[in-house]
Short mmCIF file of all heavy atoms in Angstrom, two decimals:
data_model
loop_
_atom_site.label_atom_id
_atom_site.label_comp_id
_atom_site.label_asym_id
_atom_site.label_seq_id
_atom_site.Cartn_x
_atom_site.Cartn_y
_atom_site.Cartn_z
N GLN A 1 2.00 -10.36 -8.06
CA GLN A 1 2.02 -10.48 -6.58
C GLN A 1 2.74 -11.77 -6.20
O GLN A 1 2.91 -12.67 -7.01
CB GLN A 1 0.56 -10.48 -6.08
CG GLN A 1 -0.19 -9.21 -6.36
CD GLN A 1 -1.54 -9.17 -5.68
OE1 GLN A 1 -1.72 -9.55 -4.54
NE2 GLN A 1 -2.55 -8.70 -6.43
N PRO A 2 3.15 -11.86 -4.92
CA PRO A 2 2.96 -10.95 -3.79
C PRO A 2 3.80 -9.67 -3.86
O PRO A 2 4.76 -9.61 -4.57
CB PRO A 2 3.38 -11.82 -2.60
CG PRO A 2 3.27 -13.22 -3.06
CD PRO A 2 3.64 -13.14 -4.49
N PHE A 3 3.37 -8.67 -3.01
CA PHE A 3 4.11 -7.44 -2.83
C PHE A 3 4.83 -7.46 -1.47
O PHE A 3 4.43 -8.16 -0.59
CB PHE A 3 3.16 -6.24 -2.90
CG PHE A 3 2.67 -5.94 -4.27
CD1 PHE A 3 1.35 -6.21 -4.62
CD2 PHE A 3 3.51 -5.35 -5.22
CE1 PHE A 3 0.86 -5.92 -5.91
CE2 PHE A 3 3.07 -5.05 -6.50
CZ PHE A 3 1.75 -5.36 -6.84
N TYR A 4 5.86 -6.60 -1.41
CA TYR A 4 6.74 -6.57 -0.19
C TYR A 4 6.99 -5.17 0.27
O TYR A 4 7.16 -4.24 -0.53
CB TYR A 4 8.09 -7.20 -0.60
CG TYR A 4 9.22 -6.96 0.41
CD1 TYR A 4 9.27 -7.64 1.62
CD2 TYR A 4 10.19 -6.02 0.13
CE1 TYR A 4 10.29 -7.41 2.53
CE2 TYR A 4 11.25 -5.80 1.03
CZ TYR A 4 11.27 -6.48 2.24
OH TYR A 4 12.28 -6.25 3.15
N VAL A 5 6.96 -4.97 1.61
CA VAL A 5 7.50 -3.75 2.24
C VAL A 5 8.44 -4.18 3.36
O VAL A 5 8.26 -5.23 3.98
CB VAL A 5 6.37 -2.85 2.83
CG1 VAL A 5 5.53 -2.26 1.74
CG2 VAL A 5 5.51 -3.63 3.82
N ASN A 6 9.46 -3.35 3.58
CA ASN A 6 10.46 -3.76 4.58
C ASN A 6 10.19 -3.20 5.97
O ASN A 6 10.94 -3.52 6.92
CB ASN A 6 11.87 -3.39 4.09
CG ASN A 6 12.12 -1.89 4.09
OD1 ASN A 6 11.13 -1.08 4.20
ND2 ASN A 6 13.34 -1.46 3.85
N SER A 7 9.17 -2.34 6.09
CA SER A 7 8.93 -1.72 7.45
C SER A 7 7.45 -1.70 7.67
O SER A 7 6.65 -1.32 6.81
CB SER A 7 9.49 -0.27 7.44
OG SER A 7 9.19 0.37 8.68
N PRO A 8 6.98 -2.10 8.87
CA PRO A 8 7.78 -2.65 9.95
C PRO A 8 8.03 -4.15 9.75
O PRO A 8 7.22 -4.84 9.18
CB PRO A 8 6.95 -2.38 11.20
CG PRO A 8 5.55 -2.52 10.69
CD PRO A 8 5.58 -1.95 9.25
N PHE A 9 9.13 -4.63 10.23
CA PHE A 9 9.48 -6.05 10.31
C PHE A 9 9.78 -6.69 8.96
O PHE A 9 10.59 -7.59 8.86
CB PHE A 9 8.32 -6.91 10.95
CG PHE A 9 7.89 -6.35 12.26
CD1 PHE A 9 6.63 -5.75 12.36
CD2 PHE A 9 8.65 -6.39 13.38
CE1 PHE A 9 6.16 -5.24 13.57
CE2 PHE A 9 8.22 -5.89 14.60
CZ PHE A 9 6.99 -5.28 14.66
N GLY A 10 9.15 -6.27 7.90
CA GLY A 10 9.15 -6.93 6.60
C GLY A 10 7.86 -7.70 6.45
O GLY A 10 7.58 -8.61 7.23
N ILE A 11 7.06 -7.31 5.46
CA ILE A 11 5.76 -7.93 5.22
C ILE A 11 5.61 -8.24 3.76
O ILE A 11 5.96 -7.40 2.90
CB ILE A 11 4.59 -7.04 5.68
CG1 ILE A 11 4.79 -6.54 7.13
CG2 ILE A 11 3.24 -7.77 5.56
CD1 ILE A 11 3.78 -5.45 7.54
N VAL A 12 5.09 -9.40 3.38
CA VAL A 12 4.70 -9.68 2.04
C VAL A 12 3.20 -10.01 2.04
O VAL A 12 2.70 -10.59 3.00
CB VAL A 12 5.47 -10.85 1.43
CG1 VAL A 12 6.92 -10.44 1.10
CG2 VAL A 12 5.48 -12.10 2.30
N LEU A 13 2.51 -9.64 0.95
CA LEU A 13 1.05 -9.79 0.93
C LEU A 13 0.56 -10.14 -0.45
O LEU A 13 1.10 -9.65 -1.45
CB LEU A 13 0.41 -8.47 1.42
CG LEU A 13 -1.11 -8.36 1.43
CD1 LEU A 13 -1.61 -7.51 2.60
CD2 LEU A 13 -1.60 -7.75 0.11
N ALA A 14 -0.48 -10.96 -0.52
CA ALA A 14 -1.18 -11.31 -1.74
C ALA A 14 -2.65 -11.15 -1.50
O ALA A 14 -3.14 -11.46 -0.43
CB ALA A 14 -0.83 -12.72 -2.22
N HIS A 15 -3.36 -10.71 -2.55
CA HIS A 15 -4.73 -10.22 -2.35
C HIS A 15 -5.62 -10.69 -3.51
O HIS A 15 -5.19 -10.61 -4.66
CB HIS A 15 -4.70 -8.70 -2.25
CG HIS A 15 -5.98 -8.00 -2.54
ND1 HIS A 15 -6.05 -6.87 -3.38
CD2 HIS A 15 -7.23 -8.22 -2.13
CE1 HIS A 15 -7.31 -6.44 -3.42
NE2 HIS A 15 -8.04 -7.24 -2.67
N ASN A 16 -6.80 -11.14 -3.19
CA ASN A 16 -7.83 -11.48 -4.18
C ASN A 16 -9.01 -10.52 -3.95
O ASN A 16 -9.61 -10.50 -2.86
CB ASN A 16 -8.28 -12.93 -4.05
CG ASN A 16 -9.48 -13.25 -4.91
OD1 ASN A 16 -9.63 -12.69 -5.99
ND2 ASN A 16 -10.34 -14.13 -4.44
N GLY A 17 -9.38 -9.77 -4.96
CA GLY A 17 -10.51 -8.86 -4.84
C GLY A 17 -10.21 -7.52 -5.46
O GLY A 17 -9.32 -7.38 -6.34
N ASN A 18 -10.89 -6.46 -5.00
CA ASN A 18 -10.66 -5.15 -5.56
C ASN A 18 -11.15 -4.10 -4.54
O ASN A 18 -12.24 -4.19 -4.00
CB ASN A 18 -11.44 -4.95 -6.87
CG ASN A 18 -11.13 -3.63 -7.54
OD1 ASN A 18 -9.99 -3.32 -7.79
ND2 ASN A 18 -12.16 -2.83 -7.76
N LEU A 19 -10.26 -3.15 -4.20
CA LEU A 19 -10.65 -2.07 -3.33
C LEU A 19 -11.38 -1.00 -4.12
O LEU A 19 -10.95 -0.62 -5.22
CB LEU A 19 -9.39 -1.46 -2.67
CG LEU A 19 -8.53 -2.41 -1.82
CD1 LEU A 19 -7.41 -1.59 -1.16
CD2 LEU A 19 -9.35 -3.11 -0.76
N THR A 20 -12.46 -0.49 -3.55
CA THR A 20 -13.27 0.52 -4.26
C THR A 20 -12.87 1.93 -3.88
O THR A 20 -13.33 2.89 -4.50
CB THR A 20 -14.77 0.30 -3.97
OG1 THR A 20 -14.97 0.21 -2.57
CG2 THR A 20 -15.23 -1.00 -4.63
N ASN A 21 -11.99 2.10 -2.90
CA ASN A 21 -11.52 3.43 -2.50
C ASN A 21 -9.99 3.53 -2.66
O ASN A 21 -9.32 4.18 -1.84
CB ASN A 21 -11.97 3.79 -1.08
CG ASN A 21 -11.37 2.91 -0.02
OD1 ASN A 21 -11.01 1.75 -0.29
ND2 ASN A 21 -11.22 3.39 1.19
N THR A 22 -9.47 2.92 -3.68
CA THR A 22 -8.01 2.87 -3.87
C THR A 22 -7.40 4.28 -3.95
O THR A 22 -6.37 4.53 -3.34
CB THR A 22 -7.68 2.09 -5.13
OG1 THR A 22 -8.19 0.75 -5.03
CG2 THR A 22 -6.16 1.99 -5.34
N GLU A 23 -8.03 5.15 -4.72
CA GLU A 23 -7.45 6.50 -4.93
C GLU A 23 -7.36 7.27 -3.67
O GLU A 23 -6.37 8.00 -3.39
CB GLU A 23 -8.22 7.24 -5.97
CG GLU A 23 -8.24 6.57 -7.37
CD GLU A 23 -6.85 6.32 -7.92
OE1 GLU A 23 -5.92 7.07 -7.60
OE2 GLU A 23 -6.69 5.34 -8.69
N VAL A 24 -8.41 7.20 -2.82
CA VAL A 24 -8.38 7.86 -1.52
C VAL A 24 -7.28 7.31 -0.66
O VAL A 24 -6.49 8.01 0.00
CB VAL A 24 -9.75 7.70 -0.82
CG1 VAL A 24 -9.65 8.13 0.64
CG2 VAL A 24 -10.79 8.50 -1.55
N LEU A 25 -7.14 5.98 -0.64
CA LEU A 25 -6.11 5.34 0.15
C LEU A 25 -4.72 5.71 -0.35
O LEU A 25 -3.80 5.85 0.46
CB LEU A 25 -6.29 3.79 0.12
CG LEU A 25 -7.51 3.27 0.87
CD1 LEU A 25 -7.71 1.76 0.61
CD2 LEU A 25 -7.38 3.49 2.36
N LYS A 26 -4.54 5.84 -1.66
CA LYS A 26 -3.21 6.21 -2.18
C LYS A 26 -2.82 7.58 -1.57
O LYS A 26 -1.65 7.77 -1.21
CB LYS A 26 -3.27 6.29 -3.70
CG LYS A 26 -3.10 4.98 -4.40
CD LYS A 26 -3.08 5.16 -5.91
CE LYS A 26 -2.90 3.87 -6.65
NZ LYS A 26 -2.96 4.03 -8.13
N ASP A 27 -3.78 8.51 -1.56
CA ASP A 27 -3.47 9.84 -0.98
C ASP A 27 -3.09 9.73 0.47
O ASP A 27 -2.13 10.35 0.94
CB ASP A 27 -4.71 10.72 -1.13
CG ASP A 27 -4.80 11.38 -2.51
OD1 ASP A 27 -3.89 11.17 -3.30
OD2 ASP A 27 -5.80 12.03 -2.78
N GLU A 28 -3.87 8.91 1.21
CA GLU A 28 -3.59 8.76 2.63
C GLU A 28 -2.22 8.09 2.84
O GLU A 28 -1.49 8.54 3.75
CB GLU A 28 -4.67 7.90 3.27
CG GLU A 28 -6.05 8.53 3.33
CD GLU A 28 -7.10 7.61 3.94
OE1 GLU A 28 -6.74 6.45 4.29
OE2 GLU A 28 -8.22 8.05 4.05
N VAL A 29 -1.94 7.10 2.10
CA VAL A 29 -0.67 6.36 2.28
C VAL A 29 0.51 7.28 2.02
O VAL A 29 1.52 7.26 2.75
CB VAL A 29 -0.63 5.12 1.33
CG1 VAL A 29 0.77 4.60 1.19
CG2 VAL A 29 -1.54 4.04 1.84
N PHE A 30 0.38 8.13 1.00
CA PHE A 30 1.51 9.00 0.63
C PHE A 30 1.61 10.22 1.57
O PHE A 30 2.69 10.51 2.08
CB PHE A 30 1.34 9.46 -0.82
CG PHE A 30 2.45 10.38 -1.30
CD1 PHE A 30 3.71 9.87 -1.54
CD2 PHE A 30 2.24 11.71 -1.51
CE1 PHE A 30 4.74 10.67 -1.94
CE2 PHE A 30 3.26 12.56 -1.96
CZ PHE A 30 4.52 12.04 -2.16
N LYS A 31 0.47 10.88 1.77
CA LYS A 31 0.51 12.17 2.53
C LYS A 31 0.48 11.97 4.03
O LYS A 31 1.15 12.70 4.78
CB LYS A 31 -0.66 13.03 2.08
CG LYS A 31 -0.65 13.46 0.63
CD LYS A 31 -1.88 14.26 0.25
CE LYS A 31 -1.85 14.64 -1.22
NZ LYS A 31 -3.13 15.35 -1.60
N ASP A 32 -0.28 11.01 4.50
CA ASP A 32 -0.44 10.84 5.98
C ASP A 32 0.45 9.77 6.52
O ASP A 32 1.07 9.93 7.56
CB ASP A 32 -1.93 10.53 6.30
CG ASP A 32 -2.87 11.60 5.80
OD1 ASP A 32 -2.42 12.79 5.73
OD2 ASP A 32 -4.05 11.31 5.53
N ASP A 33 0.49 8.62 5.83
CA ASP A 33 1.29 7.47 6.35
C ASP A 33 2.76 7.60 6.01
O ASP A 33 3.59 6.87 6.50
CB ASP A 33 0.74 6.17 5.78
CG ASP A 33 -0.71 5.90 6.15
OD1 ASP A 33 -1.23 6.67 6.97
OD2 ASP A 33 -1.26 4.92 5.66
N LEU A 34 3.04 8.52 5.06
CA LEU A 34 4.47 8.76 4.58
C LEU A 34 5.05 7.48 4.00
O LEU A 34 6.18 7.08 4.30
CB LEU A 34 5.31 9.30 5.71
CG LEU A 34 4.84 10.61 6.35
CD1 LEU A 34 5.75 11.04 7.46
CD2 LEU A 34 4.63 11.72 5.30
N ARG A 35 4.25 6.81 3.19
CA ARG A 35 4.69 5.56 2.52
C ARG A 35 4.60 5.76 1.03
O ARG A 35 3.86 6.59 0.50
CB ARG A 35 3.83 4.39 2.98
CG ARG A 35 4.13 3.98 4.40
CD ARG A 35 3.29 2.77 4.83
NE ARG A 35 3.80 2.23 6.06
CZ ARG A 35 4.76 1.33 6.16
NH1 ARG A 35 5.29 0.83 5.06
NH2 ARG A 35 5.18 0.89 7.32
N HIS A 36 5.41 4.92 0.32
CA HIS A 36 5.47 5.02 -1.12
C HIS A 36 4.87 3.81 -1.81
O HIS A 36 5.17 2.66 -1.45
CB HIS A 36 6.95 5.17 -1.57
CG HIS A 36 7.13 5.21 -3.05
ND1 HIS A 36 6.70 6.24 -3.82
CD2 HIS A 36 7.69 4.29 -3.90
CE1 HIS A 36 6.97 5.99 -5.11
NE2 HIS A 36 7.59 4.81 -5.18
N VAL A 37 3.98 4.04 -2.81
CA VAL A 37 3.40 2.96 -3.60
C VAL A 37 4.02 3.03 -4.99
O VAL A 37 4.01 4.09 -5.64
CB VAL A 37 1.85 3.11 -3.69
CG1 VAL A 37 1.31 2.04 -4.55
CG2 VAL A 37 1.31 2.96 -2.27
N ASN A 38 4.57 1.93 -5.46
CA ASN A 38 5.37 1.93 -6.66
C ASN A 38 4.64 1.41 -7.90
O ASN A 38 5.21 1.46 -9.00
CB ASN A 38 6.62 1.09 -6.43
CG ASN A 38 7.73 1.42 -7.38
OD1 ASN A 38 7.99 2.62 -7.61
ND2 ASN A 38 8.38 0.42 -7.97
N THR A 39 3.43 0.87 -7.75
CA THR A 39 2.64 0.35 -8.86
C THR A 39 1.26 0.92 -8.82
O THR A 39 0.86 1.66 -7.96
CB THR A 39 2.58 -1.19 -8.78
OG1 THR A 39 1.69 -1.58 -7.72
CG2 THR A 39 3.95 -1.84 -8.62
#
């Protein structure tokens, strides 16, 4: 980290912790938000 996305505006982010619903969010990000996660 940090990670980068170019839309909107360009954002970089760094995170400490752990999401417990990552797999659900991955589905939402890909199918509903139309975004791509590369890692």
Side-chain angles (χ1 to χ4, degrees):
Q1 298 187 43
F3 286 108
Y4 165 75
V5 291
N6 67 350
S7 175
F9 309 108
I11 309 171
V12 288
L13 176 146
H15 159 225
N16 172 33
N18 187 56
L19 301 184
T20 52
N21 64 333
T22 301
E23 299 302 330
V24 168
L25 290 173
K26 278 183 180 177
D27 278 355
E28 291 178 359
V29 164
F30 180 71
K31 296 176 182 177
D32 301 333
D33 300 353
L34 303 180
R35 289 181 167 272
H36 176 68
V37 176
N38 202 45
T39 71

